[in-house]
Amino acid sequence: MVAGAAIYMTAQDEPGWELLIGLAAAPSLLWLLLRRRGAGLLPLAVAFLACMAIGALSGKVRATLIATPILKEHIGPVRIEGIVAEIDSSERSRRVRVDVRAIEGLTPEQTPRYVRFSFKGELGLVPGRAISCRAIISPPPRPVVPGDYEFHRDAWFQQLGAVGFSIGACQPLPVRPPTNLDDQIFHWLGAVRRAMAEHVYRAAGENGGAVSAAMVSGDRSFITPEDSEALRLSGLAHLLSISGVHMVLVGGIVFFVVRFGWPFIEPLSLRVPSVRAAALAAIIACTLYFAVSGMEVATQRAYIIALICFGAKLFDRPALSLRSLAIALAAVVLVQPESVVTPGFQMSFAASGALIALYEVWPKLDRPEQPGVIARIGGWFVAASATSVVASFATMPFAIHHFDRAAIFSVIANIVSTPVITLWTTPAAALAAIAAPFGLDEFFLWLMGQSLDLVLTIAHLSATLSPDVDLPRLDGIGMALAATAIALFCTLYRRGRIFAAIPAAAAIWFWLAAPQAIGYVADDGSVFMKQADSWVELTDWRSKNGLNPLIIGDKIQKSTCPGKGANCTLDVDAGQLTIMSPEAGPASSIASPLTTGCASAAQLTLKPSNEPALAEPALPIAPCDFIGQGGAAIQRDSKGLRNSPAQPQRNRPWTQPLYAPVTDRSRR
């Protein structure tokens, strides 16, 4: 299912209903026929094909069901009226997500369902309140360079039709709340989530309180950019996701409280076993917590596994770990197939599967005699170290593919922080949850905040000591091989896990042997070239339809070359880049008709270094020819320098042509 959903999300062209339904129905029916004759490799292969087709079909169904209008051009300032759905705040600005009721100058058929814009200063409003704001908004930005973050695809599945920034203050409106039950529940949950986060933040303290609020409610708005970066670089960012630990904490507390308190209610205990009552109460508690927490992919996985485990107690059935994870994975793919191409989904399930496989073999390594205190402490340390190593290696391929980075010291940071989380943070959070109904939770939340303040110190120290390594990018083939290796390690039994080394070795070979980009021609006309310790950006041709690419990193400098009306040379890693403007002299070619609105017809020539071993022909580059065509990567392989054009998606629900940005347009 995962592979099928991923193929649908990344396909160039939109597949038709007839094709997807046929691909799903044919192998499914064939599998039913073969299954009657017994198990074997052929039914297994057919079932695999059926699951792939069902995954792709679920993506098509999901993309159709949540279809909403997308803004087609840059407009503003315009008046936006709607209901505050979510507030994501930080030190720099607030991002307000609005459930739109009307946008000035747009018909109802053109109005997006949700709009998100940045707001500087204090908003003074809470989720669920009707507001009126003036903002400049644009369509969700496209990926700038090949392989970059597909924000416009994620925005489609979030029903986010426009993004931008506000002009002036937002005003409350005397508008009745939404009458639709779904909207009422959604806004109420948002308000409860925000109130919970603010309460935890105030009680737990400033630094540790920000992480505490994220762990309890999933609201990361109080975390500063510096702390967020430190957690990411140290490999401790998983603490911010509401996952298995949080569900176990909530469900486990309710389960044991009801389990031991139920026998004291004699009429009920005589009719309903305490274990079943406790399991049902834990399921209800996990469901409420799941609804309030934001329902991210990691939370979905943890919630489904919690339902399976407590449901097994409810019906007196065993719960198998890997089977539970497989059911959770299938459920997430069917409900939110778009998540399979996100790093959160991939890293969450990879780490969980690898840890379950590790724990299944771990008891076989225990000594038969009763260990002493020192042996227990040593065993715990070895287990914590093995957990960190396995989780880090399981998530590393996806981190390298999506971010070109890997947390070098993540294993050490996780080992050092594990005792703090296990012996300090978790007990404090459990006591706070028990004391909350009586209004006595603030002291325990303060203890929790102090523990997480220490974790932040560990994260900053790890990020400081970790070397800044520019890793090669892992392409799609390498990531698929790495995912195959992880899947084999999780599913094969005992010595069979050694076969996971074959795709793992192939993934490493592809990673090291694949040509790396030394420059990019962006889809909007920008040119990015790699220098010694940073990237340089040339923007003479830019149409401003996207953000700076994430896969390049944060160190992007502006070029000193004017590029318009004068020739210029620039030293880059690959050699010498010459910019030739038509105004200053003859160009090698003229921009093609595909580049309507191109700001300049200047041409670039990349001349390699003069070393004899690198005696390669110069590479001509016409940036305007790539505008609207997906861009291209500039690479060097055994044959020399070359442009590697992207294969952009066409006719997909979330794709749209480049728009013409008009910054001074106003609709009044």
Side-chain angles (χ1 to χ4, degrees), residues 225-238 240 347 399 402-408 410 456 459-460 462-463 466 550 553-554:
E226 294 76 17
D227 289 344
S228 179
E229 182 73 2
L231 289 168
R232 184 179 63 82
L233 292 176
S234 62
L236 297 176
H238 60 86
L240 304 180
M347 299 173 78
H402 290 285
F403 311 116
D404 292 352
R405 299 176 182 177
I408 306 299
S410 62
L456 280 176
H460 281 281
S462 175
S466 182
L550 294 177
D554 301 326

Side-chain angles (χ1 to χ4, degrees), residues 142-144 521-526 541-545 592 594-598 622-632 646-650 655-659:
R142 301 152 54 115
V144 173
V521 182
D523 183 55
D524 66 353
S526 302
W541 310 269
R542 190 162 191 175
S543 303
K544 297 181 180 178
N545 274 254
S592 70
L594 296 174
T595 57
T596 303
C598 186
C624 288
D625 290 345
F626 295 96
I627 293 181
Q629 306 304 306
Q647 301 296 325
Q649 293 183 322
R650 300 181 296 267
T655 58
Q656 58 184 350
L658 292 177
Y659 62 88

Side-chain angles (χ1 to χ4, degrees), residues 118-326:
S118 300
F119 184 94
K120 292 187 177 181
E122 292 296 330
L123 184 62
L125 299 171
V126 296
R129 185 63 189 270
I131 61 171
S132 173
C133 305
R134 293 189 67 81
I136 296 176
I137 54 177
S138 303
R142 301 152 54 115
V144 173
V145 299
D148 204 17
Y149 172 47
E150 302 272 355
F151 174 77
H152 66 321
R153 182 179 60 203
D154 287 353
W156 172 266
F157 287 100
Q158 297 172 20
Q159 296 183 310
L160 184 64
V163 295
F165 56 92
S166 66
I167 303 295
C170 292
Q171 303 296 329
L173 284 179
V175 178
R176 292 189 303 172
T179 57
N180 183 280
L181 181 60
D182 293 341
D183 291 340
Q184 288 178 343
I185 294 175
F186 178 79
H187 296 313
W188 178 79
L189 289 175
V192 171
R193 182 186 182 198
R194 185 65 183 178
M196 183 189 302
E198 291 176 347
H199 172 70
V200 173
Y201 177 71
R202 287 193 300 267
E206 184 174 354
N207 294 327
V211 183
S212 300
M215 292 184 68
V216 172
S217 67
D219 188 338
R220 307 178 188 181
S221 61
F222 298 102
I223 301 177
T224 64
E226 294 76 17
D227 289 344
S228 179
E229 182 73 2
L231 289 168
R232 184 179 63 82
L233 292 176
S234 62
L236 297 176
H238 60 86
L239 297 176
L240 304 180
S241 297
I242 295 179
S243 54
V245 175
H246 309 80
M247 284 294 171
V248 168
L249 190 63
V250 172
I253 290 175
V254 173
F255 180 87
F256 285 107
V257 168
V258 176
R259 170 71 177 81
F260 291 105
W262 193 257
F264 292 99
I265 310 175
E266 184 176 352
L268 296 178
S269 62
L270 292 175
R271 291 171 173 81
V272 181
S274 59
V275 173
R276 292 188 176 182
L280 180 60
I283 290 175
I284 295 173
C286 289
T287 301
L288 294 175
Y289 185 54
F290 173 69
V292 174
S293 63
M295 297 179 285
E296 295 182 348
V297 172
T299 316
Q300 296 171 18
R301 169 184 54 80
Y303 172 66
I304 294 172
I305 293 179
L307 288 185
I308 295 171
C309 293
F310 290 121
K313 288 289 184 180
L314 188 62
F315 297 102
D316 294 328
R317 294 289 188 273
L320 301 178
S321 296
L322 276 178
R323 182 174 296 176
S324 301
L325 187 69

Side-chain angles (χ1 to χ4, degrees), residues 334-644:
L334 291 176
V335 175
Q336 288 190 331
E338 70 274 10
S339 63
V340 302
V341 292
T342 63
F345 174 94
Q346 297 164 0
M347 299 173 78
S348 174
F349 278 100
S352 299
L355 291 177
I356 290 174
L358 174 66
Y359 293 154
E360 285 187 344
V361 302
W362 193 260
K364 299 179 179 60
L365 304 178
D366 290 343
R367 292 181 298 178
E369 67 271 12
Q370 185 69 23
V373 176
I374 297 178
R376 287 178 180 272
I377 295 176
W380 178 86
F381 180 79
V382 172
S385 302
T387 298
S388 299
V389 170
V390 170
S392 297
F393 275 103
T395 57
M396 187 176 295
F398 306 101
I400 297 175
H401 172 75
H402 290 285
F403 311 116
D404 292 352
R405 299 176 182 177
I408 306 299
F409 280 13
S410 62
V411 175
I412 299 176
N414 276 278
I415 292 175
V416 174
S417 62
T418 295
V420 180
I421 299 296
T422 304
L423 304 177
W424 187 349
T425 306
T426 302
L431 292 172
I434 295 173
F438 309 100
L440 303 175
D441 59 328
E442 292 194 359
F443 173 71
F444 301 109
L445 288 175
W446 178 82
L447 287 177
M448 180 182 177
Q450 296 303 304
S451 68
L452 292 174
D453 198 6
L454 178 58
V455 172
L456 280 176
T457 302
I458 296 172
H460 281 281
L461 181 61
S462 175
T464 302
L465 296 177
S466 182
D468 186 9
V469 181
D470 186 13
L471 295 174
R473 187 168 188 269
L474 182 66
D475 61 8
I477 297 177
M479 191 186 71
L481 289 169
T484 302
I486 296 171
L488 291 177
F489 177 80
C490 295
T491 56
L492 295 180
Y493 187 64
R494 292 186 178 180
R495 295 182 180 179
R497 289 189 170 95
I498 194 65
F499 289 102
I502 298 175
I508 295 175
W509 184 86
F510 270 97
W511 178 42
L512 299 177
Q516 299 298 314
I518 55 178
Y520 288 100
V521 182
D523 183 55
D524 66 353
S526 302
V527 178
F528 298 88
M529 297 299 301
K530 193 176 187 304
Q531 291 187 320
D533 56 353
S534 65
W535 286 76
V536 64
E537 176 186 9
L538 297 86
T539 57
D540 288 340
W541 310 269
R542 190 162 191 175
S543 303
K544 297 181 180 178
N545 274 254
L547 305 174
N548 281 342
L550 294 177
I551 61 175
I552 287 179
D554 301 326
K555 297 180 180 179
I556 301 178
Q557 301 176 354
K558 299 296 182 182
S559 171
T560 56
C561 283
K564 291 181 180 178
N567 294 337
C568 182
T569 58
L570 182 69
D571 291 328
V572 295
D573 269 9
Q576 191 175 70
L577 184 69
T578 301
I579 302 176
M580 181 178 296
S581 174
E583 292 84 354
S588 59
S589 64
I590 302 299
S592 70
L594 296 174
T595 57
T596 303
C598 186
S600 172
Q603 306 295 302
L604 282 70
T605 302
L606 180 59
K607 182 179 180 182
S609 305
N610 293 325
E611 300 177 19
L614 299 176
E616 307 166 10
L619 176 68
I621 305 170
C624 288
D625 290 345
F626 295 96
I627 293 181
Q629 306 304 306
I634 303 172
Q635 298 176 333
R636 170 183 281 155
D637 55 21
S638 58
K639 298 180 180 179
L641 295 170
R642 63 183 177 89
N643 285 325
S644 180

